[in-house]
């Protein structure tokens, strides 16, 4: 039997236990579980190590480069649960959320191929706070339920779970071991949105203005990644962030996985 040191514990080579059925049976719960996937893409490979999962929040304004940071952390071993990806999944044709949105906002939000016309939805809700609140009321509960389900699937592992939540500050989510904020000057964010994502400048500024302010995000940050430089500078900061994550104390195992709640939920 060979023992190899891994972060968070030791692994035992199961191929070396064939001569000892009793030992094989006792080690079986600690074998690698199925990789976590989004479609065909593997986004993490957690292992069972006595229920020491840790959850880290990741947020940043539109145009901050948050998705790039998430990808770099996944490269280092994080397991990603991406709220934006889940939003798209729960809004697919045939889902209860899709049906509720069409009922609320009308058939004009349905594209010619039967999928959701996201630009049409944006045109309806971003100019009308009441409509935006109605959209959030339809979508957010479904996203929260799916995030909880995925977190439950990881609860018995030693995974470092990265919860990519664009509106983490606005939603006042809590119960996380730490919060990473990807920070960039709003003017640079506007420039990136216009140059790389085809936004009109007015639209880019309007979307940034509807999100939490830079100061509000920084106020809840436990670790700040400045993404105003190039990719190599960003990689260096992500490496330091990963070291910081490794220094965090992991919570005691055994508790139930509760839905992510607002920071001020107790006060209403």
């Amino acid at each position: 039997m060979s023992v190899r040191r891994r972060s968070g514990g030791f692994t035992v080579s199961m191929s070396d236990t064939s001569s000892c059925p009793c030992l094989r049976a006792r080690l079986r719960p600690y074998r690698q579980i199925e990789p976590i996937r989004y479609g065909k893409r593997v986004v993490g490979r957690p292992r069972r190590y006595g229920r020491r999962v840790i959850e880290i929040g990741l947020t940043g304004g539109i145009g901050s480069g948050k998705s790039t940071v998430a990808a770099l952390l996944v490269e280092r071993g994080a397991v990603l649960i991406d709220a934006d990806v889940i939003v798209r999944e729960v809004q697919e044709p045939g889902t209860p959320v899709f049906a509720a949105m069409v009922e609320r906002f009308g058939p004009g939000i349905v594209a010619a191929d039967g999928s959701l016309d996201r630009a049409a939805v944006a045109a309806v809700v971003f100019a009308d706070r009441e409509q935006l609140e109605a959209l959030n009321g339809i979508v957010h509960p479904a996203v929260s339920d799916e995030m909880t389900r995925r977190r439950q699937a990881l609860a018995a592992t030693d995974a470092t779970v990265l919860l990519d939540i664009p509106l983490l500050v606005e939603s006042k989510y809590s119960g996380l071991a730490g919060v990473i904020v990807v920070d960039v000057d709003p003017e640079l964010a506007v420039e990136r949105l216009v140059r790389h994502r085809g936004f009109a400048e007015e639209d880019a500024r309007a979307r940034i203005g509807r999100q939490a302010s830079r100061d509000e995000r920084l106020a809840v940050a436990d670790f700040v990644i400045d993404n105003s430089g190039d990719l190599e500078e960003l990689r260096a900061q992500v490496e330091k962030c990963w070291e910081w994550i490794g220094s965090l104390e992991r919570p005691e195992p055994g508790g139930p996985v509760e839905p992510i709640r607002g920071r001020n939920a107790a006060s209403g």
Side-chain angles (χ1 to χ4, degrees):
M1 179 179 70
S2 63
V3 180
R4 299 187 296 277
R5 181 150 183 101
R6 295 291 297 266
S7 60
F10 296 86
T11 61
V12 181
S13 173
M14 297 301 294
S15 63
D16 297 332
T17 63
S18 56
S19 61
C20 184
C22 293
L23 180 58
R24 173 178 284 275
R26 272 186 280 174
L27 290 174
R28 190 172 292 115
Y30 296 91
R31 298 184 70 181
Q32 182 168 309
I33 66 172
E34 289 298 312
I36 305 301
R37 300 176 182 271
Y38 278 122
K40 296 182 179 179
R41 182 166 62 93
V42 175
V43 297
R45 298 179 181 273
R47 300 179 67 90
R48 297 189 187 278
Y49 280 125
R51 297 174 63 82
R52 298 286 287 181
V53 68
I54 190 170
E55 295 182 329
I56 307 295
L58 173 68
T59 194
I62 185 171
S64 66
K66 176 175 56 63
S67 296
T68 302
V69 170
L72 291 173
L73 288 170
V74 167
E75 286 180 4
R76 286 157 176 77
V79 177
L80 178 64
I81 299 179
D82 189 332
D84 277 345
V85 171
I86 294 174
V87 167
R88 290 181 176 272
E89 291 177 356
V90 302
Q91 291 178 336
E92 290 179 354
T95 62
V97 168
F98 182 88
M101 289 178 62
V102 174
E103 181 179 358
R104 169 73 193 202
F105 304 115
I109 65 169
V110 180
D113 63 359
S115 65
L116 187 67
D117 186 337
R118 299 184 185 281
V121 175
V124 171
V125 304
F126 286 142
D128 188 324
R129 180 172 294 275
E130 182 179 345
Q131 295 282 55
L132 179 59
E133 290 177 354
L135 175 65
N136 290 341
I138 294 169
V139 176
H140 286 184
V143 173
S144 178
D145 288 347
E146 179 59 19
M147 289 188 74
T148 300
R149 187 191 68 77
R150 296 187 187 191
R151 292 167 60 220
Q152 288 171 336
L154 294 164
T157 75
D158 73 334
T160 297
V161 179
L162 190 66
L163 300 173
D164 184 341
I165 306 174
L167 302 181
L168 186 148
V169 176
E170 294 87 334
S171 301
K172 299 181 171 63
Y173 281 174
S174 64
L176 304 173
V179 173
I180 302 166
V181 170
V182 183
D183 181 54
V184 69
D185 185 279
E187 291 301 317
L188 181 55
V190 169
E191 179 184 331
R192 289 174 174 173
L193 290 170
V194 172
R195 179 183 302 177
H196 301 299
R197 294 175 58 179
F199 278 67
E201 181 176 341
E202 182 180 358
D203 186 23
R205 292 187 183 280
R207 295 201 185 203
I208 290 173
R210 284 189 292 268
Q211 295 184 335
S213 71
R214 187 182 190 184
D215 288 343
E216 287 172 330
R217 280 192 295 270
L218 293 175
V220 303
D222 297 301
F223 193 100
V224 177
I225 294 178
D226 177 2
N227 191 20
S228 58
D230 60 24
L231 182 58
E232 288 309 307
E233 291 173 318
L234 182 61
R235 286 184 182 276
Q237 291 190 69
V238 170
E239 186 61 37
K240 291 180 180 178
C241 180
W242 187 246
E243 293 174 3
W244 167 74
I245 291 173
S247 74
L248 296 176
E249 182 178 357
R250 290 182 175 251
E252 289 300 317
V257 176
E258 300 289 344
I260 298 175
R261 303 184 187 280
R263 292 179 184 270
N264 301 325
S267 62

